[in-house]
Amino acid sequence: MTSAALLSSLSNGLRIGLLGGSFNPAHEGHRHISLVAMRRLELHQVWWLVSPQNPLKPVQGMAPLARRMQSALDMAHHPAIHVTDIETQLGTRYTADTVRQLTERAPNTRFVWLMGADNLLNFPRWNRWTEIMERVPIAVIARPGYSLKARLSPVATRYADRQFPQAHARLLPDVTPPAWVFIEDQPTAISSTQIRRQIGAAWPVQD
């Protein structure tokens, strides 16, 4: 489905998870996060927002957008996971701007930002990250080796009183932000960096 079609398909009460990233390349970890989020948050869809260029990652070593889109399409393999270059279509570089545009265009759609526990540690480096927290609920999915660090991170500490109970995660999309939940669910340890090293020159080695 094209980005324009996705935007036009938005309707009141639709619950959509947003998973952003370079997908350089896409891997089982991305799919795992998406499937866990769909099940635990009772989402109707998950959108993979393939970034034209992650501001926190170097241009050198980044595969072309078309190649990363195809990688994501090959990996998604689920009717409710939609791979999109919507940030390119919206002309947004930062997640804060993407989330703002989406929530303003579809105020009655329930968006939730999805991320792995490792990304929670880096979240304060994101441009205007507190605006993201204030605009959409966030679901953090556990990853091996990061659970304790994520739970003790500056973000978790700052928003400790806004952490939602995991047992009631399905209610998160309807909660007024800031609100976030940490979900433990047999995560996979694979990463894009490991995949690129395994397949050698077929993908750049840098993250």
Side-chain angles (χ1 to χ4, degrees):
M1 188 181 294
T2 65
S3 300
L6 279 178
L7 287 173
S8 65
S9 71
L10 294 176
S11 59
N12 293 351
L14 204 60
R15 300 154 70 95
I16 298 177
L18 303 173
L19 181 63
S22 300
F23 296 90
N24 189 42
H27 54 72
E28 274 294 340
H30 297 126
R31 193 168 189 273
H32 173 79
I33 287 174
S34 303
L35 296 178
V36 169
M38 277 193 284
R39 185 176 76 254
R40 300 292 293 274
L41 305 177
E42 297 184 1
L43 302 176
H44 297 109
Q45 301 174 13
V46 170
W47 292 6
W48 286 7
L49 311 182
V50 184
S51 172
Q53 174 57 50
N54 187 326
L56 296 179
K57 294 186 177 181
V59 174
Q60 182 180 6
M62 189 65 65
L65 177 61
R67 191 175 180 188
R68 292 184 282 116
M69 285 283 291
Q70 188 59 54
S71 168
L73 286 167
D74 292 342
M75 177 56 64
H77 198 60
H78 192 288
I81 299 178
H82 300 289
V83 176
T84 174
D85 63 349
I86 202 165
E87 290 186 310
T88 299
Q89 304 306 315
L90 294 175
T92 55
R93 183 184 181 196
Y94 298 109
T95 297
D97 295 320
T98 301
V99 168
R100 176 180 55 79
Q101 286 211 37
L102 289 175
T103 54
E104 288 179 353
R105 285 171 180 247
N108 295 317
T109 296
R110 306 304 186 201
F111 291 107
V112 179
W113 188 262
L114 310 177
M115 67 169 67
D118 52 326
N119 275 323
L120 189 66
L121 301 177
N122 296 321
F123 200 29
R125 296 178 58 204
W126 295 24
N127 185 270
R128 308 194 317 277
W129 69 275
T130 56
E131 290 185 23
I132 305 171
M133 289 288 301
E134 299 289 333
R135 191 169 284 273
V136 290
I138 294 178
V140 181
I141 314 300
R143 293 198 65 190
Y146 290 100
S147 291
L148 181 59
K149 293 178 183 178
R151 291 179 184 278
L152 298 176
S153 68
V155 177
T157 301
R158 177 168 175 171
Y159 288 94
D161 62 336
R162 302 301 298 176
Q163 184 173 359
F164 208 68
Q166 181 177 188
H168 302 293
R170 64 184 180 82
L171 302 176
L172 184 73
D174 298 314
V175 175
T176 300
W180 68 284
V181 66
F182 191 93
I183 298 176
E184 295 273 7
D185 202 302
Q186 299 179 346
T188 176
I190 197 68
S191 70
S192 293
T193 302
Q194 290 172 310
I195 291 176
R196 293 197 298 273
R197 286 170 179 163
Q198 290 170 7
I199 60 181
W203 283 88
V205 175
Q206 292 187 9
D207 236 336

